[in-house]
Amino acid sequence: MTIDFGHPDRPNSYIGKTVPRPNAPRLVQGRGEYVDDMVLPRMLHVAFVRSPFAHARITGIDAAEAKAVPGVVRIFTGAEVAEVCTPWVGVLAHLQGLKSPPEYAIAVDRACWVGEPVAAVVATSRAAAEEGAALVEVDYDVLPVVADMMTALDDDTPVLHADLGDNLAFRRVNEQGDVDAAMAGAHKVVTAHFTTARHTGVTPEPRSILADWNPADERMTVWHSTQAPHMMQTALATHLDIAESRVRVICGDVGGSYGIKVHVYPDEVATAAIARIMGRPVKFIADRLESFSTDIHARDHEIEAKIAVDAEGRILAMDVDDWTAIGAYSVYPRTSAMEGNQVVNLCGGPYDFEHYRARTSVVFQNKTPTCQYRAVGHPIAVAITEGLVDMAAAELGMDPVEIRRRNLYADDAYPVTSPAKMRFEGLSHHKSLDLLLDLMDYDGLRAEQAELREKGVYRGIGIASFIELTNPSPFMYGIGGARISAQDGCTVRMDPDGSIVALSGVTEQGQGTEAMLSQVVAEGVGVAPGQVHVITGDTQVTPYGGGTWASRGAGIGGEAALRAARALRDSILEVAGAMLQSDAAGLDIRDGEVVDAKSGEARMPLEELGRIVYFRGDTLPQGLPRELVQTRHYITSEYPFAFTNGVQASYVEVDTDTGNVRLLKHWCVEDCGRIINPMLVDEQIRGGIVQGLGGALFEEIHYDEDGQLLNGSMADYLVPMAAEMPDMVIGHVETPTKESSLGAKGAGEAGTAGAPAAVMNAINDALRPMGAQVTHMPFTPERVLRALGTLKD
Amino acid sequence: MKASVAGYIRANDVAHAVRLLASADGMGRVLAGGQSLVAAMNMRLSTGDMLVDISRLTELEGVTEEDGRLRIGALTRHAEIGRNPLIQTHAPLLAEAAGHIAHAAIRNRGTIGGALAHADPAAEFPACILCLNAVLHVTGPDGSRDIAAGDFFHGLFETALEEGEILTAISLPKAEPGEVQVVEEMARRAGDYALAGLCVTRRRAGYRIAAFSVGPRPILATGAMQALDAGDLDAAVANLAEEIEPASDTQASAAYRRHLAGVLLRRAALRIEGEAQ
């Protein structure tokens, strides 16, 4: 069963090597199949009339003019859709106290954020539907708006949902030890106020759905750009009152997701409901403005935090007060409390200390709902932790590396439980830090920095250690009552020509899941990766699974694939043993051929074995098992989550006249456990870093005090672009998880987790001689200048 | 979003285009490179347009020397402006500015005439031609006329072009020997509209400074010019701050832009000193 990963020259050694991505030629040749490429007979398009107000009562809808537009077929109000579609409530039982009101696919009598759907126009083309939507007249009574996070709970702030009593959606305190006593007796206590801006994911392919209800066989087929087809199957079945078995969700090519496409969106459910009512296929493709105003937002946090250290720089305590505002509803079914919950679980994560208190307050407001986006909560927790650690080091006159060395969990400390009650199986903070310092030539860089400072050039070095939560068990969602699967499955079969087909419950969004699966299966069975055809994203075809999120594709989906592949190998060898009259244990499969395990001598190509099994089964012994197909499912059981770790460094130059920050170079050493495909891991780390750098310097969704979205285009919401990105050096330490035979922990979010903190620390390192400090992301030129005191008004 | 267009006709020549615009009942819109207009239509910021496509009128393209001046056809693309030897020699300001405009795909399509007629106050070219004291040549139902750059930009997306008129070319004096022309700007990302920008030239008669992205139109900073002529950089920075009218938006406040303009002026002055030596 086990693979000797210690020997890179072992037969079929594809795990650990860069192999080509099987879907890359198709995608770069423009032969991908995205939802918008699908055209069905009798298909209609839907466009949504969306609320222009952050909070308003809907008092009337007049669709007469819209109905007259050529091509417009039908117009739906919220009440009409609600007749076939029940509302949902985004709460989970284990997030105690979390509350949220019922949310309708289309607002019925009240709109609670700019962009919330209030009517739907169905037409023969998207253009006609938009033409109609522009002519639907909605009468609104404008209601008071809750826009500010920090005053959402004040007595004179209106309560957004009267039935809920107040604007507090969720609050949790995670406490260990005696924080107040530790703070009181500390050598130094450093306090800081951090903010992280509201972001969204900006997927290249917008949210897309095509739903078709076939009344003849009472089945719904949905083509959906999603990360979690089985979760969507449940959601649509539940709220449209269709048996789960009669809903099929197909997820073809997906143009990026980053967590944006793992939620239930009102307009997407409405599209399915309209298809159900009309008995015709209905397509909805979000445009870019709809993406900015209705894709989930994330990261909008304000934090007051303290760290206490002794004279030797040992961390004694951390105290974190985190606030976040999640919009008008908790998003279904994962909830909008999870991000704040992660913050209170992850602060202080890399460090061995005793006294910890972190509180998150999650409040409602009249803005686009927030929910899980790549590296949920991590960039916030890492910024708080690493920001405070650097500030403490500065107070003590200690080098930022030295204070980390004194506090990081020792590499032999595991297993260990952190003060935030996270259980770590095995991490490599010190080894990773050593490698990082080596890669960046830390001492040389410090010397260069000092030399340039003499010449009035302000450069800074920032370091950020981090942990990243991956491979969630049912402790994340399942115990809360959500039908979100933590297990995943893979079916691997051999066809007559000796080729292998693998069907997996994890999904591909462009990150290379299918490449990863192909090489795991190739090594597991003993064929070349090109001989493995991977199929994902179809609830009627693949084993039941959770899909791809929380960096679980390789760790969970990969392990299921490996186990299924090894089982198929055993089945093939059993048949081969009977055919060759040899002991199966003495045979192996290498490069698509059954061979003698000891000598490597070729005994029979798989193609020949396939010919006999499928066409001349009469020649095989009766009773010989000949199922050349195996399915295995995998779930973690010893730890609620796997944890990866790593450390990043940023080197920046601050223009103290303009406040502009130039990213000079970035380093990351991470430990994602077993590396299956080095190039894919490096790409994931780099892509993640870029998203983190976007948060540090560029990305910010702006609202005015009336809850109006101010920047809904790519011209105004600044995503990181190639010209501003630094060279990145990626290094690896491998500490495989012992929970699985594969040992992979996941690599999709580590880059995003640590990058903003590294940049913040680098900027503050550059500014420190001038007594300035920034903690308000993104670090725009203006915020840097204001920190320097250059601007007076 | 899908654009909502009332009609589209490709013009055969300038006279044809003028006739088409005259018959469009005020809904005529000239389509040249389409890099601003098409984006606006796709956001439904402009609907019901009757598009008159002049993009294939080759007589409106190219750069020539005429009566000792430089003549630039309205359809000359940004990319051509950036690499044209006549422009590099006689109007290096425009060549440098072209490098700041958006990204290669946009520079390959966008036209200088389109940029000037669109009159985005954050764009480089309007400020460039103001700085270079260019003349704009337009043709309309009543014939052709010339408009000085100083009279052309009225306000946010507003120009001296009358209904039915088409901008056909600009002409400008060649740089004199020893003249230095520089663009200084800062944007959040390469290719973004600048947070603030300055075009500065120094010729025998003195400095000219045109500021962009700091008001509803490109601004000729005469006070700063006079101070620079007098050799007082600090006064020039102070005067510039008085002369510009920046607004606050999601990228930066007016106060930041005002400060930045001063930084850019100091940098421009330093560069001009360096390049003149």
Side-chain angles (χ1 to χ4, degrees), chain B residues 17-115:
Chain B
V18 169
R19 285 199 307 280
L20 289 170
L21 287 175
S23 64
D25 253 353
M27 292 307 286
R29 293 293 295 268
V30 175
L31 174 63
Q35 296 306 289
S36 298
L37 176 58
V38 172
M41 292 192 309
N42 283 341
M43 291 287 279
R44 284 189 179 241
L45 297 172
S46 182
T47 58
D49 297 309
M50 306 281 281
L51 298 178
V52 175
D53 183 355
I54 62 164
S55 65
R56 303 216 181 166
L57 303 185
T58 48
E59 67 266 34
L60 297 184
E61 273 179 36
V63 184
T64 51
E65 290 179 271
E66 215 174 88
D67 304 329
R69 290 166 65 87
L70 212 55
R71 186 182 169 94
I72 304 171
L75 276 187
T76 309
R77 313 279 166 172
H78 303 335
E80 174 63 20
I81 303 272
R83 64 179 170 241
N84 184 283
L86 286 175
I87 289 183
Q88 285 174 348
T89 307
H90 302 302
L93 183 70
L94 287 172
E96 187 188 350
H100 287 292
I101 302 174
H103 306 280
I106 292 170
R107 292 194 291 270
N108 284 339
R109 280 188 171 269
T111 66
I112 188 166

Side-chain angles (χ1 to χ4, degrees), chain B residues 9-22:
Chain B
I9 300 183
R10 184 181 293 156
N12 302 322
D13 53 37
V14 173
H16 184 215
V18 169
R19 285 199 307 280
L20 289 170
L21 287 175

Side-chain angles (χ1 to χ4, degrees), chain A residues 212-222 232-234 236-238 240-249 276 539-540:
Chain A
D212 187 17
W213 168 252
N214 186 333
D217 61 4
E218 297 186 333
R219 283 181 189 276
M220 175 164 274
T221 307
V222 176
M232 285 309 301
Q233 177 189 29
T234 298
L236 292 171
T238 304
L240 296 174
D241 193 24
I242 306 170
E244 204 164 278
S245 61
R246 292 188 171 275
V247 175
R248 177 184 185 186
V249 177
R276 171 103 210 249
T539 57
Q540 191 166 291

